[in-house]
Amino acid sequence: MENPKSETDIVTVDGVEARNLVASGHHRYLDVRMEEDFFEKGHLEGALNVPYYSVTPREKVKNLEFIEQVSSLLRHEEPFIVGCRTGVRAKRATIDLVAVGQLYKDISTLKDTRMLNCKDISSYRSP
């Protein structure tokens, strides 16, 4: 796939496709939920966690180091899927990665993590 150049170029995958891509070893999984959700509510085994938001005493704020943190974990040529619980943060995170001109060759967004049917995934790690 060519590098996505805008929001309309971003590939969105469903739970079955995401599960198959990760299980095949061809894609990594980037979970952008907050750290407590990642550990308390379970995650795919081998998933990377870079929260898109953090919580302050007053509000939820965007992680200003998100791009830098992702870049330190994933090589630009490494295909990966971005996911969260509902897909909203994942889409925003993917748009940000595309907007800053990162040269990721293959980045997809998972529509809805609930679609992963996690109870049926042997690689899903629950708390």
Side-chain angles (χ1 to χ4, degrees):
M1 176 182 163
E2 287 187 28
N3 296 346
K5 296 180 179 38
S6 72
E7 179 179 341
T8 57
D9 294 335
I10 296 170
V11 173
T12 302
V13 297
D14 65 22
V16 172
E17 186 176 2
R19 183 174 50 211
N20 291 338
L21 288 169
V22 172
S24 73
H26 292 119
H27 283 67
R28 302 285 303 272
Y29 186 80
L30 175 65
D31 191 316
V32 296
R33 294 178 296 160
M34 290 183 275
E35 190 172 306
E36 54 272 13
D37 291 335
F38 182 75
F39 288 107
E40 293 173 12
K41 296 180 181 173
H43 57 275
L44 287 174
E45 188 172 330
L48 303 170
N49 178 235
V50 178
Y52 187 71
Y53 291 114
S54 61
V55 177
T56 69
R58 296 181 157 209
E59 62 188 335
K60 182 168 65 171
V61 295
K62 184 176 168 184
N63 175 0
L64 298 177
E65 297 176 357
F66 177 76
I67 300 294
E68 180 181 306
Q69 291 169 347
V70 171
S71 294
S72 73
L73 294 172
L74 291 163
R75 297 182 316 272
H76 290 201
E77 67 277 359
E78 189 170 15
F80 64 98
I81 298 167
V82 181
C84 64
R85 189 178 68 83
T86 64
V88 174
R89 282 173 287 186
K91 185 173 183 180
R92 289 180 182 154
T94 304
I95 290 168
D96 282 1
L97 288 166
V98 170
V100 296
Q102 295 294 326
L103 300 175
Y104 294 109
K105 291 184 179 179
D106 194 345
I107 181 171
S108 304
T109 301
L110 179 61
K111 288 181 194 174
D112 184 339
T113 309
R114 296 170 294 192
M115 294 175 66
L116 283 172
N117 195 8
C118 294
K119 292 180 182 176
D120 295 335
I121 301 175
S122 59
S123 62
Y124 181 77
R125 183 173 303 252
S126 60

PDB file of all heavy atoms in Angstrom, residues 23-49:
ATOM      1  N   ALA A  23      -2.165 -11.988  13.798  1.00  0.00           N
ATOM      2  CA  ALA A  23      -1.811 -13.395  14.018  1.00  0.00           C
ATOM      3  C   ALA A  23      -0.803 -13.894  12.987  1.00  0.00           C
ATOM      4  O   ALA A  23       0.033 -14.744  13.289  1.00  0.00           O
ATOM      5  CB  ALA A  23      -3.066 -14.268  13.991  1.00  0.00           C
ATOM      6  N   SER A  24      -0.852 -13.352  11.777  1.00  0.00           N
ATOM      7  CA  SER A  24       0.067 -13.781  10.721  1.00  0.00           C
ATOM      8  C   SER A  24       1.492 -13.290  10.963  1.00  0.00           C
ATOM      9  O   SER A  24       2.424 -13.769  10.336  1.00  0.00           O
ATOM     10  CB  SER A  24      -0.417 -13.272   9.364  1.00  0.00           C
ATOM     11  OG  SER A  24      -0.195 -11.870   9.255  1.00  0.00           O
ATOM     12  N   GLY A  25       1.626 -12.318  11.849  1.00  0.00           N
ATOM     13  CA  GLY A  25       2.939 -11.753  12.122  1.00  0.00           C
ATOM     14  C   GLY A  25       3.334 -10.648  11.165  1.00  0.00           C
ATOM     15  O   GLY A  25       4.419 -10.085  11.265  1.00  0.00           O
ATOM     16  N   HIS A  26       2.448 -10.319  10.238  1.00  0.00           N
ATOM     17  CA  HIS A  26       2.762  -9.275   9.262  1.00  0.00           C
ATOM     18  C   HIS A  26       2.478  -7.872   9.771  1.00  0.00           C
ATOM     19  O   HIS A  26       2.983  -6.911   9.206  1.00  0.00           O
ATOM     20  CB  HIS A  26       1.986  -9.509   7.954  1.00  0.00           C
ATOM     21  CG  HIS A  26       2.447 -10.716   7.220  1.00  0.00           C
ATOM     22  ND1 HIS A  26       1.627 -11.772   6.961  1.00  0.00           N
ATOM     23  CD2 HIS A  26       3.659 -11.043   6.716  1.00  0.00           C
ATOM     24  CE1 HIS A  26       2.305 -12.707   6.321  1.00  0.00           C
ATOM     25  NE2 HIS A  26       3.545 -12.284   6.165  1.00  0.00           N
ATOM     26  N   HIS A  27       1.642  -7.738  10.788  1.00  0.00           N
ATOM     27  CA  HIS A  27       1.281  -6.428  11.331  1.00  0.00           C
ATOM     28  C   HIS A  27       1.470  -6.424  12.842  1.00  0.00           C
ATOM     29  O   HIS A  27       1.232  -7.431  13.505  1.00  0.00           O
ATOM     30  CB  HIS A  27      -0.185  -6.088  11.028  1.00  0.00           C
ATOM     31  CG  HIS A  27      -0.428  -5.650   9.630  1.00  0.00           C
ATOM     32  ND1 HIS A  27      -0.293  -6.489   8.551  1.00  0.00           N
ATOM     33  CD2 HIS A  27      -0.799  -4.451   9.136  1.00  0.00           C
ATOM     34  CE1 HIS A  27      -0.580  -5.829   7.445  1.00  0.00           C
ATOM     35  NE2 HIS A  27      -0.884  -4.588   7.774  1.00  0.00           N
ATOM     36  N   ARG A  28       1.840  -5.280  13.359  1.00  0.00           N
ATOM     37  CA  ARG A  28       1.865  -5.049  14.804  1.00  0.00           C
ATOM     38  C   ARG A  28       0.546  -4.389  15.172  1.00  0.00           C
ATOM     39  O   ARG A  28      -0.172  -3.885  14.308  1.00  0.00           O
ATOM     40  CB  ARG A  28       3.025  -4.120  15.194  1.00  0.00           C
ATOM     41  CG  ARG A  28       4.402  -4.595  14.804  1.00  0.00           C
ATOM     42  CD  ARG A  28       4.948  -5.711  15.677  1.00  0.00           C
ATOM     43  NE  ARG A  28       5.021  -5.420  17.085  1.00  0.00           N
ATOM     44  CZ  ARG A  28       6.033  -4.847  17.713  1.00  0.00           C
ATOM     45  NH1 ARG A  28       7.109  -4.485  17.047  1.00  0.00           N
ATOM     46  NH2 ARG A  28       5.992  -4.636  19.010  1.00  0.00           N
ATOM     47  N   TYR A  29       0.245  -4.364  16.458  1.00  0.00           N
ATOM     48  CA  TYR A  29      -0.985  -3.744  16.927  1.00  0.00           C
ATOM     49  C   TYR A  29      -0.629  -2.639  17.913  1.00  0.00           C
ATOM     50  O   TYR A  29       0.023  -2.887  18.930  1.00  0.00           O
ATOM     51  CB  TYR A  29      -1.891  -4.785  17.589  1.00  0.00           C
ATOM     52  CG  TYR A  29      -3.244  -4.229  17.961  1.00  0.00           C
ATOM     53  CD1 TYR A  29      -4.237  -4.105  17.008  1.00  0.00           C
ATOM     54  CD2 TYR A  29      -3.521  -3.815  19.255  1.00  0.00           C
ATOM     55  CE1 TYR A  29      -5.473  -3.580  17.330  1.00  0.00           C
ATOM     56  CE2 TYR A  29      -4.758  -3.296  19.586  1.00  0.00           C
ATOM     57  CZ  TYR A  29      -5.726  -3.179  18.618  1.00  0.00           C
ATOM     58  OH  TYR A  29      -6.946  -2.647  18.940  1.00  0.00           O
ATOM     59  N   LEU A  30      -1.036  -1.425  17.608  1.00  0.00           N
ATOM     60  CA  LEU A  30      -0.811  -0.264  18.462  1.00  0.00           C
ATOM     61  C   LEU A  30      -2.123   0.102  19.126  1.00  0.00           C
ATOM     62  O   LEU A  30      -3.068   0.530  18.462  1.00  0.00           O
ATOM     63  CB  LEU A  30      -0.278   0.911  17.639  1.00  0.00           C
ATOM     64  CG  LEU A  30      -0.108   2.228  18.391  1.00  0.00           C
ATOM     65  CD1 LEU A  30       0.970   2.102  19.465  1.00  0.00           C
ATOM     66  CD2 LEU A  30       0.236   3.345  17.412  1.00  0.00           C
ATOM     67  N   ASP A  31      -2.190  -0.080  20.424  1.00  0.00           N
ATOM     68  CA  ASP A  31      -3.384   0.227  21.208  1.00  0.00           C
ATOM     69  C   ASP A  31      -3.211   1.629  21.776  1.00  0.00           C
ATOM     70  O   ASP A  31      -2.232   1.905  22.465  1.00  0.00           O
ATOM     71  CB  ASP A  31      -3.504  -0.799  22.341  1.00  0.00           C
ATOM     72  CG  ASP A  31      -4.831  -0.751  23.057  1.00  0.00           C
ATOM     73  OD1 ASP A  31      -5.309   0.365  23.357  1.00  0.00           O
ATOM     74  OD2 ASP A  31      -5.380  -1.822  23.334  1.00  0.00           O
ATOM     75  N   VAL A  32      -4.135   2.533  21.471  1.00  0.00           N
ATOM     76  CA  VAL A  32      -4.000   3.929  21.892  1.00  0.00           C
ATOM     77  C   VAL A  32      -4.885   4.288  23.075  1.00  0.00           C
ATOM     78  O   VAL A  32      -5.067   5.461  23.389  1.00  0.00           O
ATOM     79  CB  VAL A  32      -4.220   4.902  20.703  1.00  0.00           C
ATOM     80  CG1 VAL A  32      -3.143   4.718  19.650  1.00  0.00           C
ATOM     81  CG2 VAL A  32      -5.603   4.754  20.101  1.00  0.00           C
ATOM     82  N   ARG A  33      -5.403   3.253  23.758  1.00  0.00           N
ATOM     83  CA  ARG A  33      -6.166   3.510  24.982  1.00  0.00           C
ATOM     84  C   ARG A  33      -5.223   3.963  26.087  1.00  0.00           C
ATOM     85  O   ARG A  33      -4.020   3.758  26.023  1.00  0.00           O
ATOM     86  CB  ARG A  33      -6.894   2.249  25.448  1.00  0.00           C
ATOM     87  CG  ARG A  33      -7.978   1.792  24.494  1.00  0.00           C
ATOM     88  CD  ARG A  33      -8.620   0.520  24.972  1.00  0.00           C
ATOM     89  NE  ARG A  33      -7.619  -0.565  24.970  1.00  0.00           N
ATOM     90  CZ  ARG A  33      -7.744  -1.681  25.665  1.00  0.00           C
ATOM     91  NH1 ARG A  33      -8.797  -1.891  26.424  1.00  0.00           N
ATOM     92  NH2 ARG A  33      -6.801  -2.609  25.600  1.00  0.00           N
ATOM     93  N   MET A  34      -5.796   4.537  27.140  1.00  0.00           N
ATOM     94  CA  MET A  34      -4.993   4.924  28.293  1.00  0.00           C
ATOM     95  C   MET A  34      -4.420   3.675  28.947  1.00  0.00           C
ATOM     96  O   MET A  34      -5.000   2.589  28.855  1.00  0.00           O
ATOM     97  CB  MET A  34      -5.823   5.743  29.268  1.00  0.00           C
ATOM     98  CG  MET A  34      -6.150   7.131  28.707  1.00  0.00           C
ATOM     99  SD  MET A  34      -7.052   8.173  29.844  1.00  0.00           S
ATOM    100  CE  MET A  34      -8.716   7.631  29.507  1.00  0.00           C
ATOM    101  N   GLU A  35      -3.293   3.825  29.588  1.00  0.00           N
ATOM    102  CA  GLU A  35      -2.559   2.695  30.143  1.00  0.00           C
ATOM    103  C   GLU A  35      -3.419   1.846  31.084  1.00  0.00           C
ATOM    104  O   GLU A  35      -3.367   0.615  31.033  1.00  0.00           O
ATOM    105  CB  GLU A  35      -1.324   3.208  30.886  1.00  0.00           C
ATOM    106  CG  GLU A  35      -0.372   2.129  31.279  1.00  0.00           C
ATOM    107  CD  GLU A  35       0.915   2.692  31.829  1.00  0.00           C
ATOM    108  OE1 GLU A  35       1.549   3.510  31.147  1.00  0.00           O
ATOM    109  OE2 GLU A  35       1.273   2.304  32.957  1.00  0.00           O
ATOM    110  N   GLU A  36      -4.225   2.476  31.909  1.00  0.00           N
ATOM    111  CA  GLU A  36      -5.056   1.694  32.839  1.00  0.00           C
ATOM    112  C   GLU A  36      -6.082   0.837  32.099  1.00  0.00           C
ATOM    113  O   GLU A  36      -6.366  -0.288  32.502  1.00  0.00           O
ATOM    114  CB  GLU A  36      -5.731   2.576  33.897  1.00  0.00           C
ATOM    115  CG  GLU A  36      -6.539   3.727  33.350  1.00  0.00           C
ATOM    116  CD  GLU A  36      -5.749   5.012  33.118  1.00  0.00           C
ATOM    117  OE1 GLU A  36      -4.508   4.995  33.141  1.00  0.00           O
ATOM    118  OE2 GLU A  36      -6.403   6.036  32.873  1.00  0.00           O
ATOM    119  N   ASP A  37      -6.613   1.324  30.990  1.00  0.00           N
ATOM    120  CA  ASP A  37      -7.539   0.520  30.190  1.00  0.00           C
ATOM    121  C   ASP A  37      -6.808  -0.643  29.538  1.00  0.00           C
ATOM    122  O   ASP A  37      -7.317  -1.752  29.452  1.00  0.00           O
ATOM    123  CB  ASP A  37      -8.205   1.361  29.102  1.00  0.00           C
ATOM    124  CG  ASP A  37      -9.174   2.382  29.667  1.00  0.00           C
ATOM    125  OD1 ASP A  37      -9.686   2.157  30.774  1.00  0.00           O
ATOM    126  OD2 ASP A  37      -9.403   3.396  28.989  1.00  0.00           O
ATOM    127  N   PHE A  38      -5.622  -0.384  29.059  1.00  0.00           N
ATOM    128  CA  PHE A  38      -4.806  -1.400  28.391  1.00  0.00           C
ATOM    129  C   PHE A  38      -4.541  -2.573  29.334  1.00  0.00           C
ATOM    130  O   PHE A  38      -4.702  -3.725  28.963  1.00  0.00           O
ATOM    131  CB  PHE A  38      -3.486  -0.757  27.945  1.00  0.00           C
ATOM    132  CG  PHE A  38      -2.559  -1.669  27.206  1.00  0.00           C
ATOM    133  CD1 PHE A  38      -2.804  -2.018  25.892  1.00  0.00           C
ATOM    134  CD2 PHE A  38      -1.413  -2.158  27.817  1.00  0.00           C
ATOM    135  CE1 PHE A  38      -1.929  -2.833  25.189  1.00  0.00           C
ATOM    136  CE2 PHE A  38      -0.530  -2.973  27.132  1.00  0.00           C
ATOM    137  CZ  PHE A  38      -0.791  -3.312  25.815  1.00  0.00           C
ATOM    138  N   PHE A  39      -4.165  -2.276  30.564  1.00  0.00           N
ATOM    139  CA  PHE A  39      -3.834  -3.341  31.508  1.00  0.00           C
ATOM    140  C   PHE A  39      -5.052  -3.907  32.227  1.00  0.00           C
ATOM    141  O   PHE A  39      -5.145  -5.100  32.447  1.00  0.00           O
ATOM    142  CB  PHE A  39      -2.797  -2.857  32.524  1.00  0.00           C
ATOM    143  CG  PHE A  39      -1.443  -2.699  31.907  1.00  0.00           C
ATOM    144  CD1 PHE A  39      -0.916  -1.448  31.656  1.00  0.00           C
ATOM    145  CD2 PHE A  39      -0.693  -3.812  31.546  1.00  0.00           C
ATOM    146  CE1 PHE A  39       0.329  -1.301  31.063  1.00  0.00           C
ATOM    147  CE2 PHE A  39       0.549  -3.676  30.950  1.00  0.00           C
ATOM    148  CZ  PHE A  39       1.054  -2.416  30.716  1.00  0.00           C
ATOM    149  N   GLU A  40      -6.016  -3.060  32.593  1.00  0.00           N
ATOM    150  CA  GLU A  40      -7.172  -3.525  33.365  1.00  0.00           C
ATOM    151  C   GLU A  40      -8.220  -4.222  32.515  1.00  0.00           C
ATOM    152  O   GLU A  40      -8.884  -5.131  32.969  1.00  0.00           O
ATOM    153  CB  GLU A  40      -7.814  -2.349  34.113  1.00  0.00           C
ATOM    154  CG  GLU A  40      -6.931  -1.791  35.209  1.00  0.00           C
ATOM    155  CD  GLU A  40      -7.500  -0.536  35.836  1.00  0.00           C
ATOM    156  OE1 GLU A  40      -8.685  -0.207  35.583  1.00  0.00           O
ATOM    157  OE2 GLU A  40      -6.753   0.136  36.567  1.00  0.00           O
ATOM    158  N   LYS A  41      -8.389  -3.797  31.285  1.00  0.00           N
ATOM    159  CA  LYS A  41      -9.454  -4.353  30.445  1.00  0.00           C
ATOM    160  C   LYS A  41      -8.946  -5.368  29.437  1.00  0.00           C
ATOM    161  O   LYS A  41      -9.718  -5.904  28.664  1.00  0.00           O
ATOM    162  CB  LYS A  41     -10.190  -3.217  29.744  1.00  0.00           C
ATOM    163  CG  LYS A  41     -10.890  -2.309  30.745  1.00  0.00           C
ATOM    164  CD  LYS A  41     -11.619  -1.189  30.083  1.00  0.00           C
ATOM    165  CE  LYS A  41     -12.276  -0.325  31.160  1.00  0.00           C
ATOM    166  NZ  LYS A  41     -12.862   0.868  30.616  1.00  0.00           N
ATOM    167  N   GLY A  42      -7.634  -5.622  29.443  1.00  0.00           N
ATOM    168  CA  GLY A  42      -7.067  -6.621  28.550  1.00  0.00           C
ATOM    169  C   GLY A  42      -6.586  -6.033  27.238  1.00  0.00           C
ATOM    170  O   GLY A  42      -6.946  -4.921  26.875  1.00  0.00           O
ATOM    171  N   HIS A  43      -5.747  -6.798  26.558  1.00  0.00           N
ATOM    172  CA  HIS A  43      -5.170  -6.344  25.296  1.00  0.00           C
ATOM    173  C   HIS A  43      -4.653  -7.546  24.512  1.00  0.00           C
ATOM    174  O   HIS A  43      -4.506  -8.634  25.055  1.00  0.00           O
ATOM    175  CB  HIS A  43      -4.037  -5.353  25.555  1.00  0.00           C
ATOM    176  CG  HIS A  43      -2.945  -5.909  26.417  1.00  0.00           C
ATOM    177  ND1 HIS A  43      -3.016  -5.884  27.788  1.00  0.00           N
ATOM    178  CD2 HIS A  43      -1.785  -6.523  26.112  1.00  0.00           C
ATOM    179  CE1 HIS A  43      -1.934  -6.452  28.292  1.00  0.00           C
ATOM    180  NE2 HIS A  43      -1.169  -6.856  27.285  1.00  0.00           N
ATOM    181  N   LEU A  44      -4.410  -7.327  23.248  1.00  0.00           N
ATOM    182  CA  LEU A  44      -3.832  -8.383  22.420  1.00  0.00           C
ATOM    183  C   LEU A  44      -2.398  -8.634  22.876  1.00  0.00           C
ATOM    184  O   LEU A  44      -1.646  -7.691  23.126  1.00  0.00           O
ATOM    185  CB  LEU A  44      -3.815  -7.974  20.944  1.00  0.00           C
ATOM    186  CG  LEU A  44      -5.151  -7.955  20.228  1.00  0.00           C
ATOM    187  CD1 LEU A  44      -4.989  -7.401  18.824  1.00  0.00           C
ATOM    188  CD2 LEU A  44      -5.753  -9.333  20.175  1.00  0.00           C
ATOM    189  N   GLU A  45      -2.038  -9.884  22.967  1.00  0.00           N
ATOM    190  CA  GLU A  45      -0.672 -10.222  23.341  1.00  0.00           C
ATOM    191  C   GLU A  45       0.285  -9.630  22.320  1.00  0.00           C
ATOM    192  O   GLU A  45       0.058  -9.724  21.107  1.00  0.00           O
ATOM    193  CB  GLU A  45      -0.498 -11.733  23.404  1.00  0.00           C
ATOM    194  CG  GLU A  45       0.829 -12.144  23.975  1.00  0.00           C
ATOM    195  CD  GLU A  45       0.909 -13.626  24.217  1.00  0.00           C
ATOM    196  OE1 GLU A  45      -0.129 -14.251  24.493  1.00  0.00           O
ATOM    197  OE2 GLU A  45       2.022 -14.153  24.105  1.00  0.00           O
ATOM    198  N   GLY A  46       1.327  -8.987  22.799  1.00  0.00           N
ATOM    199  CA  GLY A  46       2.302  -8.362  21.918  1.00  0.00           C
ATOM    200  C   GLY A  46       1.929  -6.955  21.489  1.00  0.00           C
ATOM    201  O   GLY A  46       2.687  -6.307  20.777  1.00  0.00           O
ATOM    202  N   ALA A  47       0.749  -6.484  21.902  1.00  0.00           N
ATOM    203  CA  ALA A  47       0.317  -5.139  21.524  1.00  0.00           C
ATOM    204  C   ALA A  47       1.220  -4.090  22.169  1.00  0.00           C
ATOM    205  O   ALA A  47       1.721  -4.274  23.277  1.00  0.00           O
ATOM    206  CB  ALA A  47      -1.129  -4.898  21.953  1.00  0.00           C
ATOM    207  N   LEU A  48       1.416  -3.007  21.454  1.00  0.00           N
ATOM    208  CA  LEU A  48       2.130  -1.858  21.985  1.00  0.00           C
ATOM    209  C   LEU A  48       1.094  -0.878  22.500  1.00  0.00           C
ATOM    210  O   LEU A  48       0.014  -0.744  21.919  1.00  0.00           O
ATOM    211  CB  LEU A  48       2.959  -1.199  20.884  1.00  0.00           C
ATOM    212  CG  LEU A  48       3.974  -2.103  20.194  1.00  0.00           C
ATOM    213  CD1 LEU A  48       4.548  -1.404  18.970  1.00  0.00           C
ATOM    214  CD2 LEU A  48       5.071  -2.491  21.161  1.00  0.00           C
ATOM    215  N   ASN A  49       1.401  -0.178  23.572  1.00  0.00           N
ATOM    216  CA  ASN A  49       0.457   0.788  24.124  1.00  0.00           C
ATOM    217  C   ASN A  49       1.106   2.161  24.167  1.00  0.00           C
ATOM    218  O   ASN A  49       2.105   2.367  24.843  1.00  0.00           O
ATOM    219  CB  ASN A  49       0.016   0.368  25.526  1.00  0.00           C
ATOM    220  CG  ASN A  49      -0.937   1.367  26.163  1.00  0.00           C
ATOM    221  OD1 ASN A  49      -0.691   1.854  27.252  1.00  0.00           O
ATOM    222  ND2 ASN A  49      -2.033   1.661  25.497  1.00  0.00           N
TER     223      ASN A  49
END
